[in-house]
Structures are given as C-alpha cells and as structure tokens.
Amino acid sequence: MSETAPLLDVDDVGVSYGRARVLSGVSLTVRPGEVVGVVGETGSGKTTLVRAVVGLVSPDAGRITFDGTDVTALGGRPLRGFRRTGAVQLVFQDPLRSLDPDLTVAAIVAEGLAIAGGLTRAEQAERVDEALTRVGLDPSLGARRPGQISGGQRQRVALARAIAVRPKLLLCDEPVSALDSSSRNRVLLLLDRLRRELGVAIVMISHDLTSLAGVVDRVAVLFGGRLVEQGPVDEVFGDPRHPYTALLVASAPSIGERPLGRPAASLRPARDREPWPHADGCRYAPLCPFATAECAVEPRREATGDGRTVACHHAGTWSDHVEQTTGALT
Ligand code: SF4
C-alpha cells in the first residue's frame, strides 16, 4: 500500500480565521482504500481540516491535492464542478441535523445523484436501493422520513447518501459519537465493510480513540492546530511518542490491551508546576509535564524510522527529562 500514490495529499497546510491560526503546517496523506483517523479535542482544528479538503475553507498556506487535482487552486465554477462529482463525501456526526426532515429517505439518498446528473430516474432509483441495501437497510425504508427511523438507521442513511455517488473518499466527522454503544459498533463495522467492498478511502475524525482503534490503518493526532504525531495505528496507540498522544491513550482504558505503563495522571501537568513562561515554542508546553527550556523553540516533525512522524523535542524519551524539568523552564 505504501507504493500507491496518495489519493489525498494535504501538504503543509495552514488556515486562519481572522487573527486566529487554527491549522498550521499540517501534512497528511490518504491512499486509495486506506482508513486514516484524525484525533483531537474540540478546537484542535480537525473539522477545519475536513472543511479545507472539500474547499469550504481556503488555506492561506500549503496545498491540498485530491486525485491529482489541486483543490486549493479551485474557485467558483471549477470548485463547484469538483464538488458536484461527489468524489469526496462528507458524513456528519448528527444525521438528524444533516438530513432534511421533510424528504423521504429515498429522496435524501438520491440528492447527490441528482446533483451529479447523468442518470435516468429509473437508474437513480436503482442506485438508491443498492446503496440502502449496502448499508444494511431494507429499501422499503425509503418511503419513511428521518424522524420515523432510529438514530443508528439515520446514520446508515447518511452513509447510503454518501456512497450512492460512488465516492473515492469519505470524510466522516465524528460519525458515531451521537450513537449508543451497540449502534456505534455496528456503524464502525459497516464502515470497515464499505472500505473492503467498495475500496473507498475513509478519513475518520474523532475525539474518541476507542472508536478508531479497530477501524483505522493510520492515525494522526492534532493539538492546537498542529499535527503532533502520526503513523500506523498499532505503533501510535501501542507506544505513543508524543506526551499528548500518551495522555489520550492512557485516558482510553479500552485500548489499554497495549499497556502504556504509565497512569494518565502522570502525563498531566503537576498542579504545583510553575507556569510555562514562553509565548512561542511547543503549543503543548503549557500542559506538558515534560517541558524543558528547549521546548521554547517549536519542535519540527521528525520521522522516527517506524513509519511515523512526531513533533516533540523529547519524543518517546520524556522520562529521561522529567527529573530535569523542575526549575528548568526559564
Ligand atoms: S516539545 Fe517539549 S513541551 Fe512539547 S510535547 Fe515535547 S517535551 Fe512536551
């Protein structure tokens, strides 16, 4: 898979809203059929990243290439044309808000097909039935409205709408966080099946590591609009090298079959630590229990030789520095 050209190539992208820098130097690739997780808390920039990929937000630095098209260079009609192809599909967290309550399920699933054009009504109806069946729904459900079906079914309808246009990439923004645990597992299994059966690549945005653990091939961790660690999921979750990733992993006990050997508490800043005195440098430093004077300079992303990159001056070796941190911040 590593030999395949990327389907999506996000290269050193930066986005600002007014004076607020919400993404900075973000690079990420997704290959055909690959599932990549993007993890981060609210405000980490993960939704902005998704919006930039579909051209809803214009980066002020870097480039986003999808299937050979420079998305960042598109505007006006060419951008509308790119969206109309449906090659990139968004699936949102709350399907009740993203599905028109007045339309039937069949009409909702047909929306993208109508926009893309080129199909007769009969062909559209066939594709709708096929998409509903693929996501495990009986096509007879097509006559109902979103308010008449369950939350799990609504998320399946959102997925059916997305796959009906035969996309190459699904961008799923917190696709299961509004669901109860059994619906969540079923939707995660469904995403895995869609990837295998359709060869569609998937980017799954989530604040919840547990929902990503069994599904994604690679994972990228965002903090403060920067990518702090990315790589194969087993390496990143099994042996995190960035202190923030380590805190996330230690705080998600259900992926603790790969024990970290550190309780989450030891990865949070001690209450009596002196405040971080620098305005620049590593964004995580004000929270990092392992910050040293060196961290006043922003760390660059470095490859660690096992397929991942980490942006931390003390990647994976913080324990060696922890004794030195007291009194070493100024
Ligand atoms: S660079 Fe320093 S402050 Fe930033 S995460 Fe690494 S150890 Fe912590």
Side-chain angles (χ1 to χ4, degrees), residues 273-274 276-282 285 288-299 313-314 321-322 324-330:
R273 199 190 84 171
E274 353 167 355
W276 177 248
H278 305 286
D280 301 323
C282 175
C288 182
F290 310 110
T292 64
E294 252 178 296
C295 307
V297 175
E298 188 176 347
H313 289 299
H314 308 307
H321 297 268
V322 69
Q324 304 165 22
T325 56
T326 311
L329 300 180
T330 51

Side-chain angles (χ1 to χ4, degrees), residues 179-257:
L179 303 176
D180 62 48
S181 66
S182 65
S183 299
R184 181 179 309 165
N185 291 339
R186 285 200 292 271
V187 170
L188 289 172
L189 286 171
L190 171 61
L191 282 168
D192 195 40
R193 184 160 61 74
L194 291 177
R195 170 262 279 270
R196 280 185 283 109
E197 290 179 1
L198 305 176
V200 63
I202 301 174
V203 172
M204 274 183 68
I205 308 280
S206 183
H207 68 282
D208 171 22
L209 273 63
T210 314
S211 62
L212 297 179
V215 185
V216 303
D217 302 308
R218 286 190 300 121
V219 67
V221 182
L222 271 175
F223 179 85
R226 280 159 211 261
L227 269 186
V228 296
E229 181 162 4
Q230 68 167 313
V233 66
D234 286 345
E235 272 78 25
V236 173
F237 285 179
D239 177 25
R241 300 284 172 83
H242 192 283
Y244 178 58
T245 318
L247 176 62
L248 293 177
V249 171
S251 309
S254 53
I255 55 171
E257 297 132 28

